[in-house]
Amino acid sequence: MKKLVCAAAMLGLLLMNAAALPELGALHAKSAALYAANGQELYVSNADEKLQPASVTKIMTMLLAMEALERGEVTLDTMITGSEHACSMGGTQIWLEPGEQLTLDEMLKAIAVGSANDCAVAVAEHLAGTEAAFVERMNARARELGCTGTTFINANGLDGEGERTLTTARDLALISCELLRHPKILDYTGIWMDSIRGGKFALANTNKMLRSYKGLTGLKTGYIRETGFCISASAEREGLSLVAVVMAAPTKEDRMADAAALLNYGFANFTAWTPSEESCAAVPVTLGRADTVALRMEGDSVCVLEKSAVSTVEAERRVPESLTAPVEEGQQVGELIVRTGGETLLTVPLCAAESVEAVTVFDLFGRFVRSVTGTEA
């Protein structure tokens, strides 16, 4: 929720200052969106038109897999079995055999690098029992992320019988930002060439921007004849992480050109800002076994600003003059309010970085003896 508040505040700030930003220029694609990885919207063009994402669908499949990993439901060594259904997929695949088993690690590599439709379905079935049940999870997760124009019909983005996956550039950006909250995925999406099955099956990444764009980290390409070429491209430079979504570009070259133009625009005009370490300076503790307690910022403490606005940022630290022990690790003791031009951009909880136990009667007696005699009690 805090991230959404920050994004909403930043959107208002960006709209107020829109005249100060240079024009991006015309794009080839029907729809596009540029987001900071923390969920802040930086630029959109027809971003709510519902279009077919093709294999970019797999960012949601990968997100649910990473969340299952985080919850401990699977590990990267978990064996995934190819079912008859999974092995029947067309399009890009690794020609998984019914009953064949690969680790989740290899499956994720095949999905992220080779865009393997069969592996996407096999992972879906393992995580949810059936692909249909997994699709229910995909759509539910999309709603949770605030996606309003998305309907998934399968785990890989292929057309179904009389039905199609539809989404928007804005929704894909939101899903991509959530996926980037799991940095492990970049170990897969950033691979240029690799292999699975003990080196017997080679993989080459469908995202050719990995070799042509500085700082590119992923995420996924897609193509479908009816609407053209799509990409969700993530990149990072100097601490600023961006996501550029392009949908329905006429050619591969147009897709790459549009994604590069969006990312270039973002890196040229915006910068990541984080509070200084002084914001976490220790707070005195009374009646504690330690005299002070260090603080830490909880949640997302990054805001993405126009470069021209950085000099106007102010951070107000609101913490009590002292705390009374006991203090529990993780206990919120204050907050940091980040503003610029009178607008509140972000409110960051400040929490105790460690526990401080309360002193006992014996502790107090020992302190008294030491203060009087200069010796240990």
Side-chain angles (χ1 to χ4, degrees):
M1 179 62 70
K2 178 166 77 284
K3 185 168 68 173
L4 293 176
V5 171
C6 178
M10 281 305 305
L11 177 58
L13 178 69
L14 291 172
L15 290 174
M16 288 191 298
N17 295 337
L21 289 171
E23 292 292 329
L24 174 60
L27 298 173
H28 304 89
K30 284 186 179 180
S31 176
L34 175 67
Y35 272 58
N38 67 351
Q40 289 176 221
E41 180 185 299
L42 305 181
Y43 177 88
V44 291
S45 174
N46 193 33
D48 294 315
E49 181 175 355
K50 294 182 180 181
L51 297 163
Q52 291 178 262
S55 283
V56 185
T57 294
K58 297 182 178 84
I59 61 171
M60 178 59 89
T61 301
M62 291 188 287
L63 171 60
L64 294 184
M66 299 309 293
E67 290 177 341
L69 270 170
E70 187 174 276
R71 292 191 298 266
E73 296 171 6
V74 288
T75 71
L76 292 175
D77 293 325
T78 296
M79 301 303 296
I80 311 294
T81 304
S83 69
E84 292 280 355
H85 174 61
C87 297
S88 70
M89 296 297 113
T92 54
Q93 57 186 305
I94 65 164
W95 290 277
L96 198 62
E97 294 287 340
E100 181 181 3
Q101 290 189 318
L102 296 175
T103 63
L104 178 60
D105 176 68
E106 287 196 299
M107 289 281 185
L108 285 172
K109 193 183 298 183
I111 295 167
V113 180
S115 196
N117 293 321
D118 44 4
C119 291
V121 174
V123 169
E125 291 176 330
H126 183 91
L127 293 177
T130 66
E131 185 183 17
F134 187 80
V135 171
E136 289 182 7
R137 294 187 187 180
M138 295 172 74
N139 287 314
R141 192 71 179 98
R143 290 190 295 271
E144 290 171 359
L145 294 175
C147 300
T148 59
T150 296
T151 304
F152 293 110
I153 65 165
N154 54 39
N156 52 34
L158 291 171
D159 282 351
E161 293 185 8
E163 55 182 357
R164 302 172 298 170
T165 287
L166 291 173
T167 187
T168 69
R170 191 189 306 276
D171 287 358
L172 287 181
L174 292 173
I175 299 167
S176 298
C177 289
E178 191 66 21
L179 180 57
L180 289 173
R181 292 170 64 85
H182 303 272
K184 179 66 180 176
I185 197 62
L186 300 182
D187 292 347
Y188 299 98
T189 62
I191 294 172
W192 176 240
M193 295 188 73
D194 208 325
S195 63
I196 56 175
R197 293 176 172 137
K200 296 178 181 178
F201 191 91
L203 297 171
N205 206 310
T206 58
N207 187 357
K208 305 310 177 188
M209 288 185 71
L210 284 168
R211 296 295 292 268
S212 65
Y213 193 87
K214 178 184 176 183
L216 202 85
T217 57
L219 286 169
K220 193 72 194 70
T221 62
Y223 167 74
I224 197 161
R225 183 181 303 168
E226 288 76 8
T227 53
F229 295 85
C230 308
I231 190 171
S232 175
S234 61
E236 183 172 353
R237 294 182 187 174
E238 298 179 355
L240 176 60
S241 182
L242 300 176
V243 171
V245 175
V246 172
M247 297 193 74
T251 68
K252 285 183 181 180
E253 293 73 22
D254 291 335
R255 173 177 67 186
M256 292 176 64
D258 284 356
L262 287 163
L263 293 171
N264 287 341
Y265 180 83
F267 289 126
N269 292 290
F270 300 93
T271 188
W273 183 91
T274 55
S276 68
E277 293 183 2
E278 294 177 358
S279 302
C280 293
V283 176
V285 176
T286 59
L287 299 178
R289 289 191 167 182
D291 295 329
T292 63
V293 61
L295 304 184
R296 68 184 183 211
M297 289 179 276
E298 291 291 308
D300 193 353
S301 60
V302 178
C303 269
V304 176
L305 308 172
E306 291 179 36
K307 289 183 177 179
S308 60
V310 173
S311 61
T312 69
V313 178
E314 299 175 345
E316 178 189 355
R317 178 173 128 129
R318 292 183 177 178
V319 296
E321 292 185 3
S322 65
L323 300 169
T324 301
V327 178
E328 298 293 330
E329 180 181 356
Q331 173 185 329
Q332 182 172 345
V333 300
E335 60 186 16
L336 187 72
I337 300 174
V338 182
R339 299 188 182 93
T340 183
E343 283 283 330
T344 297
L345 305 181
L346 185 64
T347 300
V348 185
L350 295 175
C351 300
E354 56 193 353
S355 296
V356 178
E357 296 179 359
V359 293
T360 64
V361 173
F362 297 105
D363 293 325
L364 293 173
F365 178 72
R367 289 183 183 182
F368 171 75
V369 171
R370 287 194 294 274
S371 66
V372 172
T373 67
T375 60
E376 294 292 328

